[in-house]
Amino acid sequence: TRAAARARPLSGPAPVTDVAKLCVCDLLVAECDVNCCCDPDCSAAEFSLFTTCSVPIVIGDSRLCSQKAAIYSLDVEANPPERIFKLIDQSNPSIFCIHATNYKEALSFSPSPVPTSENFDQLLEEFGSASFSAEPGSWNMNTDAQDSSDGNETYRYEYGVPIQTVDAFLRLPSPVVSSWCSDANPAGFLVNQATKCTRSVSVEKCVDIQAVSMLFYINSSILAVPQSSQMVNITVQSIVVQSLNGMQTLVNGSDGLRLPMILAGLCINVVLGVSYHITYTDTGEIIEAAAAFVLGAINKEALAIQQSFGISFTQVNTEPVPLSGNPGYVVGLPLRAGFKPQGYPFPVGIVCAALVLNTNKYSQFTILQSIANQDCLAAQGARTPILFGYNMVSGCKLRITSAMKCQLLSQTLLDLLKGQNFPEYVASFGNSQAQDVLDWVPITHLHTSEQTMREFITLLQSSCQIPVSLEIEVKWTKYGSLVNPQARIVNVTATITSTTLQQLPSGRERIIPITSSVVFTDISSPAEPGYKAWPTINVKLPFDFFFPFV
């Protein structure tokens, strides 16, 4: 606290900069800058012509609790007006400030060691690898430092919290500043990740490299909840063996370990990929952990291998649903859709789990799929998922006879266009969860008609309306940072277009085209609204303007 800091026998920091000599508005050399009251080149006569002080106060280090401040102002009542300068001691109003600089080394950068013939080997060992960072073993895992008042607290994993093991954290190797693998990347709870990195290997030393052994990834048990004694062992879910030419084979009975070994000039059972799958409860407790491995072989010519790592999470007693992005949609992946349970007695906004996934495969938004013979009656049930960013058109032909009943035909075509369970909502993000109701966009339904005035008069007498097309428009926008924008769906409109079908004479037939289409529209706003575009200068440069460059 500030009171305790004052009680210490430490003197305040000596100012390293004289604020009376600082002047950020002094831009002209040996000339007076207008309204720059701290400019030493200005005379009293020039100060009398100033209208204001562009920099009224100059301070040193803003992090200090007590600091010098140079105050500049103008006395306009004087004749002529004159500049007023004051040097005062100013107190920092922030509760977080530096009272005493008792760590002198922090005031300057430490000099880097200069390589010499004596220390070269030591520096090479310390900084010569692809990455040099604190290993997980050096992280502070001292649970005794916790406040005793938290003794009755129930721990649980929350989103993004590193998954703890008995010795450190669950490692998910990833590239850091280069493509080389760093084993200091902890896996975060409920954070699906997929990484690829390069690791240096050799046949002679492959048995001694821990990161290419299965044991390195499953030898440490996971804590069911943070800071608990309950542990969850990592089991081997599957093992796939990859040959030198890339062919993969699933190994039957994947319970045993396959450790690296040298055989006939090859190092076999080298870990090429690890995929973790974590099962958790709704209370944030991990109950199962499994790892799927891809093992391969390297020859003497191999100097490095590429490893892939991934982790996914599934809540217990739920079916895993593939995502279409994390968080934003990825072009080419299906739109995720759902609907509100029928007969649910409460509004969607109150019941956070009111949205359930659609009953079609993987809860995807689908449209009519075109078939070879273009027969609409044969195409019933053939659906294709709507892929984000892909404009799609499909259709078929319907042969209508005089014996067809209008009401039955209209319902059949509507089911053909919309499918059995047309969704009510579309996920705004590729990873939207069913319980997050605000992350789902309702589908707006519109109905139009192709009939003319003559057909409308005929409709009043005897005819019927049948749907002939379904047009789906998906409006999306770029969301988040300009460096890595995420695709977010903001509006979905489904338009059914109907046409008038008049009664056909006996024995006559008519062929009607039935179509479905999907259009994606980017409605992203400009990065800086309100700013006008740069003007275009229509001018011809001289032919040798860029000489001697092309």
Side-chain angles (χ1 to χ4, degrees):
T1 62
R2 186 177 297 179
R6 291 196 185 99
R8 299 171 184 169
L10 294 174
S11 61
V16 296
T17 304
D18 187 2
V19 294
K21 297 181 179 179
L22 280 178
C23 189
V24 295
C25 57
D26 185 8
L27 304 179
L28 300 177
V29 179
E31 292 186 25
C32 178
D33 293 83
V34 178
N35 290 336
C36 183
C37 296
C38 58
D39 192 346
D41 299 322
C42 297
S43 62
E46 291 170 326
F47 281 135
S48 65
L49 301 177
F50 286 4
T51 58
T52 184
C53 290
S54 59
V55 181
I57 182 172
V58 178
I59 61 175
D61 193 345
S62 61
R63 299 172 298 175
L64 299 178
C65 297
S66 178
Q67 50 195 307
K68 293 287 185 178
I71 307 297
Y72 299 93
S73 61
L74 293 176
D75 186 4
V76 295
E77 296 181 357
N79 191 15
E82 59 184 14
R83 183 199 68 166
I84 300 177
F85 167 73
K86 293 180 181 180
L87 188 63
I88 63 173
D89 290 327
Q90 182 173 273
S91 297
N92 192 341
S94 175
I95 62 174
F96 301 104
C97 58
I98 301 175
H99 178 74
T101 53
N102 52 6
Y103 184 59
K104 300 299 182 182
E105 289 80 1
L107 297 178
S108 61
F109 291 102
S110 60
S112 302
V114 179
T116 62
S117 58
E118 289 78 12
N119 65 357
F120 182 81
D121 293 336
Q122 179 185 354
L123 296 177
L124 181 62
E125 182 180 358
E126 184 177 357
F127 302 105
S129 60
S131 62
F132 40 92
S133 59
E135 289 298 319
S138 65
W139 294 342
N140 183 17
M141 292 294 297
N142 183 15
T143 58
D144 297 334
Q146 297 293 331
D147 192 345
S148 59
S149 61
D150 297 337
N152 296 327
E153 182 180 354
T154 301
Y155 294 101
R156 66 173 184 177
Y157 282 109
E158 295 181 354
Y159 178 84
V161 173
I163 299 176
Q164 297 183 10
T165 60
V166 292
D167 55 354
F169 296 95
L170 181 63
R171 303 178 181 93
L172 196 70
S174 64
V176 184
V177 295
S178 63
S179 61
W180 297 98
C181 295
S182 172
D183 298 325
N185 178 43
F189 184 66
L190 296 185
V191 180
N192 294 330
Q193 298 185 59
T195 62
K196 289 184 178 180
C197 56
T198 304
R199 194 178 299 275
S200 176
V201 295
S202 65
V203 173
E204 294 79 9
K205 299 181 180 180
C206 72
V207 179
D208 300 325
I209 302 176
Q210 295 183 355
V212 299
S213 173
M214 290 179 57
L215 192 62
F216 180 74
Y217 302 98
I218 62 174
N219 63 346
S220 184
S221 299
I222 295 176
L223 301 187
V225 293
Q227 304 181 16
S228 69
S229 59
Q230 184 180 357
M231 296 178 293
V232 178
N233 294 327
I234 303 177
T235 60
V236 179
Q237 186 179 33
S238 64
I239 297 178
V240 174
V241 177
Q242 179 175 306
S243 62
L244 290 176
N245 59 6
M247 181 179 297
Q248 295 185 347
T249 305
L250 179 63
V251 178
N252 295 327
S254 303
D255 295 334
L257 289 176
R258 290 177 170 242
L259 301 180
M261 58 183 301
I262 300 177
L263 181 64
L266 299 177
C267 184
I268 62 175
N269 298 331
V270 174
V271 174
L272 301 180
V274 183
S275 179
Y276 292 105
H277 185 76
I278 307 297
T279 305
Y280 66 97
T281 64
D282 55 357
T283 59
E285 177 184 358
I286 295 177
I287 59 175
E288 290 183 6
F293 289 90
V294 176
L295 305 181
I298 58 174
N299 51 28
K300 292 183 178 181
E301 288 76 17
L303 300 177
I305 59 172
Q306 186 181 61
Q307 293 180 308
S308 60
F309 303 92
I311 186 170
S312 59
F313 298 84
T314 301
Q315 186 174 336
V316 65
N317 298 329
T318 60
E319 292 293 333
V321 177
L323 303 180
S324 296
N326 189 21
Y329 274 97
V330 176
V331 175
L333 295 184
L335 263 62
R336 303 179 64 239
F339 60 93
K340 183 174 65 175
Q342 303 211 357
Y344 211 85
F346 302 102
V348 175
I350 295 178
V351 182
C352 61
L355 282 174
V356 297
L357 297 177
N358 206 334
T359 55
N360 63 54
K361 186 179 181 181
Y362 301 136
S363 69
Q364 296 169 355
F365 198 179
T366 62
I367 63 171
L368 173 67
Q369 181 179 3
S370 300
I371 59 176
N373 58 10
Q374 292 291 304
D375 186 1
C376 288
L377 298 181
Q380 285 184 316
R383 313 287 296 179
T384 184
I386 299 176
L387 305 180
F388 181 81
Y390 286 5
N391 296 336
M392 307 170 65
V393 177
S394 62
C396 59
K397 295 181 180 179
L398 178 66
R399 186 182 300 272
I400 301 177
T401 63
S402 59
M404 290 185 175
K405 301 294 183 181
C406 175
Q407 184 176 1
L408 180 60
L409 179 62
S410 177
Q411 186 62 42
T412 301
L413 290 178
L414 190 61
D415 295 340
L416 178 69
L417 292 172
K418 301 178 66 175
Q420 293 183 351
N421 291 316
F422 194 80
E424 298 177 353
Y425 297 87
V426 172
S428 58
F429 292 101
N431 65 346
S432 298
Q433 301 297 318
Q435 62 269 20
D436 300 330
V437 180
L438 298 180
D439 275 355
W440 294 77
V441 178
I443 300 177
T444 303
H445 295 270
L446 300 177
H447 296 272
T448 61
S449 178
E450 292 181 345
Q451 63 186 16
T452 61
M453 180 59 67
R454 177 178 299 179
E455 291 173 338
F456 177 74
I457 298 176
T458 308
L459 175 63
L460 297 179
Q461 300 173 353
S462 105
S463 61
C464 71
Q465 290 270 346
I466 59 172
V468 292
S469 70
L470 170 63
E471 300 174 2
I472 299 174
E473 182 183 16
V474 181
K475 295 181 180 180
W476 65 281
T477 182
K478 298 182 181 69
Y479 180 83
S481 170
L482 294 177
V483 179
N484 185 23
Q486 303 294 311
R488 176 187 183 184
I489 294 177
V490 296
N491 181 268
V492 180
T493 303
T495 303
I496 293 287
T497 302
S498 302
T499 187
T500 303
L501 178 63
Q502 299 182 6
Q503 184 65 35
L504 295 175
S506 179
R508 297 288 299 273
E509 293 182 352
R510 182 182 176 184
I511 296 178
I512 298 180
I514 307 297
T515 59
S516 295
S517 63
V518 180
V519 176
F520 287 85
T521 305
D522 184 3
I523 61 171
S524 302
S525 301
E528 295 182 358
Y531 287 86
K532 295 182 179 180
W534 291 102
T536 301
I537 302 176
N538 187 13
V539 62
K540 186 176 181 180
L541 297 176
F543 72 96
D544 59 348
F545 183 81
F546 294 103
F547 182 83
F549 304 102
V550 178

